[in-house]
Amino acid sequence: MFICGLELKSLVSQLCSAVCPYLALETCRQWRLSTKTVNLMRNGKMPTVTIEQAQRNYSKAVKSGLLKILSKMGISLLSSYCGAQIFEIYGLGQDIVDLAFTGSVSKIGGLSFDELARETLSFWVKAFSEDTAKRLENFGFIQFRPGGEYHGNNPEMSKLLHKAVRQKNESAYSVYQQHLANRPVNVLRDLLEFKSDRSPIPVGRVESASSIVQRFCTGGMSLGAISRETHEAIAIAMNRLGGKSNSGEGGEDPVRWRPLTDVVDGYSPTLPHLKGLQNGDTATSAIKQVASGRFGVTPTFLVNADQLEIKIAQGAKPGEGGQLPGKKVSAYIARLRNSKPGVPLISPPPHHDIYSIEDLAQLIFDLHQVNPRAKVSVKLVAEAGIGTVASGVAKANADIIQISGHDGGTGASPISSIKHAGGPWELGLTETHQTLIENGLRERVILRVDGGFKSGIDVLMAAAMGADEYGFGSVAMIATGCVMARICHTNNCPVGVASQREELRARFPGVPGDLVNYFLYVAEEVRGVIAQLGYEKLDDIIGRTDLLRARHITLLKTQHLSLSYILSCVGMPKLSSTEIRNQNAHTNGPSLEETLLADPEISEAIEYEKEVSKSTRIYNVDRAVCGRIAGVIAKKYGDTGFAGQLNITFTGSAGQSFGCFLTPGMNIRLVGESNDYVGKGMAGGEIVVTPVDCTGFVPEDATIIGNTCLYGATGGQLFVRGKAGERFAVRNSLAEAVVEGTGDHCCEYMTGGCVVVLGKVGRNVAAGMTGGLAYILDEDDTFVPKVNKEIVKIQRVNAPAGQMQLKSMIEAHVEKTGSAKGTAILREWEAYLPLFWQLVPPSEEDSPEACTEFERVAAAGRVTVKSA
Ligand SMILES: *[C@@H]1O[C@H](CO)[C@@H](O)[C@H](O)[C@H]1NC(C)=O
Ligand SMILES: *[C@@H]1O[C@H](CO)[C@@H](O)[C@H](O)[C@H]1NC(C)=O
Ligand SMILES: *[C@@H]1O[C@H](CO)[C@@H](O)[C@H](O)[C@H]1NC(C)=O
């Protein structure tokens, strides 16, 4: 019985190389012939299709489904996917695994063939028995339905929770807790219970609730996906408690970084629409998510974080990125993300950006460089093999590893991603904790876990399995007002939780105090259980799987499950959880920049906004150079406030991330060459790269900067006398650049800014480019087929403003780099101009001749504009 792409995915992954979906094709035929369909077509309510067309449409849908799965897994070829067995089995017994899925991971055992057959028959009976109605039962697998399958987040649960937190009614919280305790077995931890080797102690002797809540975090829900009000209310609540909220991807408004001082009657003009505020509240998110370093990630954002989170994947939809629909990109959201209102913001999965543990280690290094105080966390998805990945992440110098279970995520996940993706955090956490202990790495990292947390018992289960900190996602939204309308992506959220529409946001019902109440109740629940167990601190419970045992439940489906994997113990870390949490952020060790910052002239120039010029050698072991200085400037002056000028000339070979997170006022010049990621995340300033001398080679044919340069840049300028590597200006949002050639994937996912290429480019130019402009010189008429035309349009440079912009950028390039190629072009401008192409994404179409950012920069005198 084969119906959809999901099943095709499993079959193919299991080595099957041809599939004949005869039953599904027959179903298409029957559908087309049915009276209902015929009537719908006759009334014009449905386009008319033939049987063959319907079957072709079905095949096409299955194919798209399969391609989507391949891309989620990071696999490009069907032949690499076929037989890859990239899935994990939950709930099938050994006999099935050995016969049908030989060699696949199945950690918890489960059903036998007999039981599967019985289950299948019970479905069959429902469809064919005499007395049932014709209509098949809808179990509500996707969305809650009364009488259907149990859902963790359901209307009753949310009503009980709203009542408890809004009325601050402790006995109402107990009712909520009872509802959870009595739910049907829903997740693996429901099969476990606590036992103790001690007798209970009075609750009064247990660690305080205010200390326990400091281990609580909220999930990374981006401003944009949810409204300002929700995002701010959550942040304020966590700051009141000393816990941590997570900004999600997409930047943060700087007004939120200062404590409120203007609150009157619970209202503050700084944070309009929010009520229940107090003077002294801060709406900053302690954890700032950088994902892989893009939307809204500026030096100031980074230095104002307590923690920085790199998101490798998200539990609810592993392997997928996000997409903020254009209608949710309001003017405010666009400003924070350095983009334009109404433009959809594609955020592809990070495995498009971080290919290897080395790339990850480099990003962790960059973040530690720019903000040495902040701990860096890496978010991973619970799945088989996570232990090995986590060991690599720990060695890559992460401070925190976050394990995300499959039932996390807000309501914005596509329906096709909700099921059959990701694993239970119980298994991921156990594997990670054990692998780290076995490798002597557990003391180096804090383990944080999230995914469907709702109550104190969830916290305690996670603690016993080894977690130090606990994340709450959906439930935090519900406590602040979400009513689970599950239409987050439509921008029509009825209570303004997940909408950017002004009139809906005004309806936002929550106050920060609701969430504070909720977390205090959870912490009290934790205390109660710890006291029952006879212990005094959460520290005493962490890693203690011996305090857990299987609950006696007689359910056909769970009777053969074995949780011995979760209950096993491979030892305890050498430090207590509190000692691990109290360690300082890891450091990068001595760097070239510390020497520069120790130079009194430089530190004075930063302190008193003076001008200074310096020269120094650079070697390829010097990584992320300028990031630390940029961090110091951003901390003191913000992203634009610095009026001094640091001119630094480096000679030699720069290591990775040269000039990362550069701020305005930094003019850096590199005489030599550089590795990957030049100007990563730069927010301003200028980078000029030129060869030492040009004897023996032609600069425009030689690559002198590596791959992925200008990644996620939000401002500034880059001039390179030579070629760049692959993925040049990927995710650039406002920076401008002139280079003399690039590798493949130039301008990928660009959302703004301007790129000029005075030579050859590789294939797949402008894939996913939704904003900004690019000018490419095409001397031998080979450019057009290299463009990825899914989004952008390509045209000649006809508009005078475009011609002027192009010319003045080349002039600036010649002035700064002495480029021979640029000089030749300017000398014969009339002949060269017709050879340029302009790439125009849809959002720039209404103003094809203008590049407003460029005009702004020009007006600020950072580029000299000469009339054409
Ligand atoms: C089937 O595909 C055709 C063209 O490929 C399209 O016009 C038609 O709307 C599709 N039919 C349905 C029912 O989606
Ligand atoms: C608190 O909640 C309980 C249980 O729902 C209810 O019986 C009681 O009346 C509530 N108390 C107040 C003061 O609202
Ligand atoms: C720094 O560089 C800028 C532009 O390149 C130049 O105008 C300025 O004079 C330089 N400052 C010093 C102190 O050399």
Side-chain angles (χ1 to χ4, degrees):
M1 200 162 58
F2 166 84
I3 298 176
C4 64
L6 210 61
E7 287 158 11
L8 181 60
K9 149 194 124 173
S10 311
L11 285 169
V12 173
S13 165
Q14 194 55 37
L15 212 70
C16 164
S17 48
V19 173
C20 176
Y22 60 85
L23 187 57
L25 293 173
E26 183 53 28
T27 308
C28 291
R29 175 201 299 279
Q30 296 298 334
W31 168 83
R32 172 62 185 83
L33 295 175
S34 74
T35 343
K36 193 175 164 199
T37 312
V38 170
N39 282 338
L40 282 172
M41 288 180 183
R42 195 169 293 149
N43 301 339
K45 295 220 170 92
M46 188 186 276
T48 310
V49 285
T50 62
I51 292 174
E52 289 72 26
Q53 222 172 10
Q55 290 174 336
R56 259 200 309 276
N57 287 12
Y58 160 77
S59 297
K60 199 170 146 201
V62 171
K63 185 178 149 203
S64 319
L66 185 63
L67 287 179
K68 176 157 187 194
I69 303 289
L70 293 187
S71 91
K72 285 213 274 192
M73 302 311 297
I75 293 175
S76 339
L77 294 175
L78 188 62
S79 57
S80 317
Y81 186 79
C82 197
Q85 288 192 305
I86 42 169
F87 51 76
E88 194 179 342
I89 296 170
Y90 302 116
L92 292 184
Q94 204 57 43
D95 60 336
I96 301 185
V97 175
D98 287 347
L99 183 76
F101 302 101
T102 323
S104 290
V105 181
S106 173
K107 284 201 178 111
I108 52 171
L111 299 177
S112 66
F113 273 120
D114 282 349
E115 288 150 350
L116 270 188
R118 212 171 304 144
E119 191 180 13
T120 312
L121 278 178
S122 78
F123 281 125
W124 186 86
V125 166
K126 280 188 177 153
F128 292 98
S129 68
E130 294 293 323
D131 54 334
T132 42
K134 280 250 167 82
R135 197 174 269 273
L136 282 178
E137 219 174 315
N138 181 347
F139 293 99
F141 284 139
I142 303 288
Q143 194 160 21
F144 174 85
R145 293 176 67 88
E149 194 187 44
Y150 181 81
H151 280 240
N153 297 325
N154 59 64
E156 189 189 349
M157 167 268 181
S158 82
K159 269 196 214 102
L160 292 173
L161 182 58
H162 284 156
K163 180 167 179 199
V165 300
R166 288 180 185 165
Q167 302 178 356
K168 202 168 182 188
N169 180 338
E170 205 172 327
S171 58
Y173 181 80
S174 307
V175 177
Y176 164 80
Q177 208 180 316
Q178 272 312 309
H179 167 85
L180 294 179
N182 296 335
R183 71 182 176 188
V185 173
N186 195 33
V187 286
L188 280 182
R189 59 187 176 281
D190 289 345
L191 298 169
L192 295 170
E193 65 187 0
F194 276 97
K195 64 173 197 275
S196 187
D197 47 354
R198 299 191 182 179
S199 32
I201 60 166
V203 176
R205 281 174 51 198
V206 177
E207 172 179 6
S208 68
S210 59
S211 150
I212 291 172
V213 290
Q214 294 181 14
R215 295 172 181 262
F216 295 170
C217 314
T218 55
M221 296 171 283
S222 79
L223 175 62
I226 62 178
S227 67
R228 262 186 90 167
E229 289 68 36
T230 320
H231 205 261
E232 287 162 4
I234 291 177
I236 289 172
M238 294 321 273
N239 289 332
R240 282 191 198 163
L241 289 166
K244 293 180 194 68
S245 60
N246 186 322
S247 68
E249 189 180 351
E252 197 172 81
D253 191 337
V255 303
R256 296 171 55 175
W257 298 340
R258 287 181 303 276
L260 294 179
T261 53
D262 54 2
V263 180
V264 180
D265 293 337
Y267 289 89
S268 154
T270 316
L271 306 176
H273 289 328
L274 259 191
K275 42 188 187 291
L277 301 175
Q278 299 163 5
N279 275 318
D281 275 341
T282 333
T284 183
S285 303
I287 306 172
K288 303 225 191 296
Q289 193 181 79
V290 302
S292 43
R294 46 204 180 202
F295 300 131
V297 177
T298 67
T300 319
F301 176 77
L302 295 174
V303 293
N304 279 289
D306 288 346
Q307 292 188 358
L308 293 166
E309 179 178 275
I310 300 171
K311 179 174 73 178
I312 291 293
Q314 50 199 94
K317 40 176 179 157
E320 281 185 72
Q323 179 171 8
L324 194 60
K327 55 186 169 216
K328 288 185 94 165
V329 184
S330 64
Y332 179 72
I333 302 297
R335 174 162 67 81
L336 296 180
R337 297 189 180 210
N338 294 302
S339 177
K340 292 194 172 176
V343 178
L345 295 177
I346 307 171
S347 149
H351 64 54
H352 284 196
D353 295 327
I354 297 177
Y355 303 104
S356 64
I357 210 87
E358 282 76 26
D359 280 349
L360 179 66
Q362 182 58 43
L363 181 56
I364 295 173
F365 186 98
D366 298 340
L367 297 177
H368 276 142
Q369 198 68 7
V370 65
N371 184 350
R373 267 185 332 105
K375 290 188 179 176
V376 176
S377 65
V378 175
K379 178 166 170 178
L380 304 174
V381 161
E383 59 175 347
I386 187 178
T388 315
V389 176
S391 302
V393 171
K395 288 181 194 162
N397 218 16
D399 303 87
I400 300 163
I401 293 177
Q402 168 147 4
I403 294 144
S404 203
H406 66 97
D407 44 6
T410 51
S413 295
I415 282 177
S416 64
S417 314
I418 293 176
K419 302 281 177 183
H420 312 287
W425 58 252
E426 290 90 337
L427 293 176
L429 172 60
T430 300
E431 180 175 338
T432 307
H433 180 64
Q434 294 188 354
T435 315
L436 291 176
I437 288 188
E438 282 164 350
N439 289 296
L441 295 165
R442 180 63 184 85
E443 297 76 19
R444 289 179 59 140
V445 287
I446 296 168
L447 279 190
R448 187 182 288 159
V449 63
D450 69 16
F453 277 65
K454 292 188 176 56
S455 66
I457 204 76
D458 294 333
V459 169
L460 286 153
M461 289 280 173
M465 294 172 206
D468 303 301
E469 297 188 353
Y470 318 94
F472 297 77
S474 316
V475 76
M477 298 258 292
I478 296 172
T480 29
C482 161
V483 292
M484 292 184 307
R486 294 217 172 267
I487 46 169
C488 303
H489 57 288
T490 62
N491 204 22
N492 293 329
C493 175
V495 287
V497 168
S499 172
Q500 304 305 329
R501 285 166 54 186
E502 197 75 25
E503 73 280 12
L504 294 175
R505 283 169 44 204
R507 293 193 203 160
F508 176 66
V511 291
D514 294 346
L515 196 56
V516 170
N517 294 342
Y518 169 69
F519 281 123
L520 288 175
Y521 286 141
V522 172
E524 286 301 341
E525 185 190 342
V526 170
R527 293 181 77 213
V529 179
I530 296 179
Q532 275 298 311
L533 295 173
Y535 287 86
E536 291 181 359
K537 308 191 290 297
L538 204 47
D539 266 358
D540 302 334
I541 309 294
I542 291 172
R544 294 287 304 277
T545 46
D546 59 307
L547 295 174
L548 293 174
R549 69 168 166 227
R551 224 170 114 193
H552 183 69
I553 296 174
T554 41
L555 254 186
L556 190 65
K557 279 199 112 162
T558 59
Q559 63 186 347
H560 295 306
L561 289 186
S562 155
L563 297 183
S564 55
Y565 177 71
I566 294 178
L567 297 178
S568 61
C569 180
V570 297
M572 296 295 273
K574 291 189 260 313
L575 300 177
S576 77
S577 170
T578 300
E579 287 167 326
I580 293 174
R581 290 182 66 240
N582 286 344
Q583 295 178 102
N584 288 334
H586 297 164
T587 59
N588 283 341
S591 69
L592 172 62
E593 268 177 289
E594 272 157 35
T595 328
L596 288 172
L597 277 169
D599 183 322
E601 277 188 73
I602 291 187
S603 54
E604 246 177 54
I606 296 175
E607 186 66 25
Y608 304 109
E609 304 188 68
K610 291 197 202 154
E611 262 194 28
V612 65
S613 270
K614 285 280 158 191
S615 299
T616 178
R617 288 275 320 167
I618 191 167
Y619 300 93
N620 60 6
V621 294
D622 298 320
R623 293 189 288 153
V625 169
C626 291
R628 180 64 56 84
I629 298 179
V632 171
I633 293 178
K635 184 83 200 171
K636 199 164 157 56
Y637 301 100
D639 280 333
T640 50
F642 181 56
Q645 177 105 306
L646 304 182
N647 295 350
I648 311 177
T649 302
F650 297 91
T651 310
S653 290
Q656 293 193 315
S657 301
F658 177 73
C660 67
F661 304 113
L662 210 68
T663 52
M666 297 179 74
N667 280 357
I668 64 176
R669 176 175 278 274
L670 173 66
V671 183
E673 71 264 309
S674 175
N675 213 315
D676 299 342
Y677 296 120
V678 173
K680 178 196 256 182
M682 76 188 283
E686 179 184 293
I687 303 176
V688 176
V689 186
T690 56
V692 178
D693 64 56
C694 299
T695 43
F697 67 95
V698 184
E700 62 262 33
D701 290 341
T703 302
I704 69 165
I705 60 173
N707 297 325
T708 330
C709 296
L710 278 191
Y711 179 97
T714 57
Q717 293 164 326
L718 171 67
F719 299 97
V720 180
R721 185 175 181 191
K723 280 175 76 171
E726 315 221 318
R727 308 191 77 210
F728 181 75
V730 51
R731 271 184 239 298
N732 171 29
S733 51
L734 278 185
E736 292 155 356
V738 184
V739 292
E740 306 195 344
T742 77
D744 296 343
H745 319 293
C746 181
C747 301
E748 195 181 4
Y749 299 120
M750 207 161 99
T751 57
C754 187
V755 167
V756 175
V757 185
L758 305 180
K760 281 204 164 45
V761 293
R763 66 191 178 89
N764 197 29
V765 178
M769 173 173 169
T770 56
L773 289 170
Y775 298 90
I776 318 267
L777 178 64
D778 183 19
E779 287 179 276
D780 54 4
D781 211 9
T782 55
F783 176 66
V784 176
K786 292 176 185 161
V787 181
N788 180 322
K789 297 183 196 71
E790 264 171 47
I791 301 181
V792 292
K793 248 181 44 186
I794 137 169
Q795 63 190 31
R796 291 295 183 183
V797 192
N798 292 325
Q803 296 178 356
M804 186 176 96
Q805 174 181 35
L806 174 61
K807 190 168 184 198
S808 52
M809 284 185 70
I810 299 173
E811 281 165 353
H813 180 65
V814 169
E815 183 188 317
K816 291 176 198 288
T817 64
S819 160
K821 181 81 188 231
T823 310
I825 294 171
L826 290 177
R827 198 184 310 123
E828 292 171 60
W829 181 240
E830 298 307 321
Y832 273 102
L833 181 61
L835 302 178
F836 276 96
W837 289 102
Q838 187 184 41
L839 297 179
V840 193
S843 65
E844 309 285 341
E845 255 178 284
D846 30 20
S847 57
E849 72 282 0
C851 182
T852 45
E853 173 58 13
F854 176 80
E855 281 160 6
R856 192 179 66 72
V857 169
R862 275 158 46 201
V863 167
T864 24
V865 185
K866 292 176 191 147
S867 53

